[in-house]
Amino acid sequence: MIFRPQVLQEISNAYDQFSEYFRDIRSFFEVLSVRFSLPEYGTRLTPVAGKALFSNANSYLLSDDSAYPYYLWLPSWLGRFYIDAERIPEGRTADDCRIADAGLVAFVWPWLGFGDAYVQNSPHPECWFGVTDPRPQNPDEPVLTTAQNLFNHFRLETTFEAERGGWLTGGFHPEPRIDCNLTGTWYLRRVPLSVLTDYYQVEKNVIRPLGEKFTELSEVGRENTASFPSGKTERPFSGNGVNGNSPKSETP
């Protein structure tokens, strides 16, 4: 058997539903772009990679060289990254800005809630969002490169340390065998997509907390820089990656 009759009977409805999901994803990110472009919560954020979304499935090949026994033709993760627009040097764009100049990188990642080798299945689709202070080994690398590394190598369950003030926190660890050159720290929240049903809920549960956290960490960074004129700075937490905790998705 090549084409299974049951699959063929259901494919039209399944395609329609998935298409509607992607329409909602597009509307969601359009709202974020408009709101983040205004510094209402202290910082004006601009997207990385232009209008493109990061995805864990972005090509249609009969096979690939993946180390995993599955192949994705449809993305279960989509995402976007944002940096402080005021930190982009003149003549640069968000993509080719040095990560050393950009500093913090925010992210927003909708997830279907299943099918990930590194995250336990969730009972519902989720939106992951947060702020990172990435420290790649090459501080001159462009933000676009760092963002792709963040998307590829974020490992919640092995780098999660604690929950602080409603945020999951942890740190990155370089791993040359998988081309991960990151150190630094991250803050994360997980919200069910079913909560984000209107502009008010998106503002309350994503835009405002992300904007406020980004501004808070930016101010901490400036204070630390001023306190350590030699160039050494302290981070909000160690980023040592302690296992054994259990990061959860919570409904606000």
Side-chain angles (χ1 to χ4, degrees):
M1 181 182 297
I2 297 179
F3 291 104
R4 292 162 289 176
Q6 183 179 358
V7 173
L8 295 176
Q9 291 171 6
E10 298 174 357
I11 190 63
S12 179
N13 288 336
Y15 179 85
D16 289 344
Q17 287 296 106
F18 215 40
S19 294
E20 290 302 307
Y21 169 73
F22 285 128
R23 282 186 61 185
D24 291 348
I25 291 290
R26 180 177 181 178
S27 297
F28 175 58
F29 278 114
E30 287 175 342
V31 170
L32 296 186
S33 291
V34 172
R35 297 296 294 128
F36 285 155
S37 68
L38 304 174
E40 182 166 348
Y41 300 111
T43 307
R44 183 166 63 91
L45 298 176
T46 191
V48 177
K51 296 182 179 181
L53 296 181
F54 291 76
S55 168
N56 65 332
N58 54 18
S59 63
Y60 293 90
L61 303 172
L62 289 177
S63 62
D64 64 6
D65 297 324
S66 173
Y68 303 103
Y70 57 81
Y71 184 68
L72 292 174
W73 278 32
L74 296 174
S76 56
W77 290 91
L78 292 167
R80 224 172 180 199
F81 293 86
Y82 305 85
I83 62 173
D84 184 347
E86 302 304 318
R87 296 190 58 144
I88 302 175
E90 184 176 356
R92 297 272 187 172
T93 67
D95 291 3
D96 62 19
C97 174
R98 296 187 322 136
I99 188 60
D101 293 326
L104 302 178
V105 179
F107 63 91
V108 180
W109 303 339
W111 176 44
L112 287 177
F114 57 85
D116 191 284
Y118 300 103
V119 186
Q120 184 175 356
N121 286 354
S122 169
H124 39 241
E126 296 181 337
C127 176
W128 290 28
F129 66 94
V131 182
T132 68
D133 180 15
R135 309 290 180 93
Q137 293 171 340
N138 176 15
D140 294 326
E141 76 175 25
V143 168
L144 183 61
T145 300
T146 303
Q148 188 65 62
N149 278 330
L150 290 170
F151 193 75
N152 290 348
H153 302 302
F154 191 92
R155 299 289 187 266
L156 171 63
E157 295 191 357
T158 58
T159 64
F160 169 67
E161 294 185 349
E163 182 174 349
R164 295 181 173 89
W167 292 86
L168 307 178
T169 62
F172 300 105
H173 312 292
E175 179 48 76
R177 292 175 298 179
I178 58 173
D179 296 325
C180 176
N181 68 347
L182 293 172
T183 61
T185 53
W186 54 260
Y187 285 80
L188 168 71
R189 280 188 180 175
R190 299 169 63 174
V191 178
L193 292 184
S194 58
V195 172
L196 308 178
T197 55
D198 54 38
Y199 295 135
Y200 174 79
Q201 295 296 337
V202 172
E203 187 81 20
K204 173 186 175 182
N205 292 294
V206 178
I207 295 170
R208 180 174 180 175
L210 181 57
E212 290 179 343
K213 176 56 71 174
F214 194 102
T215 298
E216 173 194 328
L217 294 177
S218 294
E219 292 173 350
V220 168
R222 284 193 290 269
E223 292 172 359
N224 285 339
T225 299
S227 300
F228 295 88
S230 64
K232 297 181 180 180
T233 61
E234 289 186 345
R235 296 171 183 166
F237 48 93
S238 64
N240 291 326
V242 179
N243 298 324
N245 297 303
S246 180
K248 301 295 184 182
S249 170
E250 296 184 356
T251 303

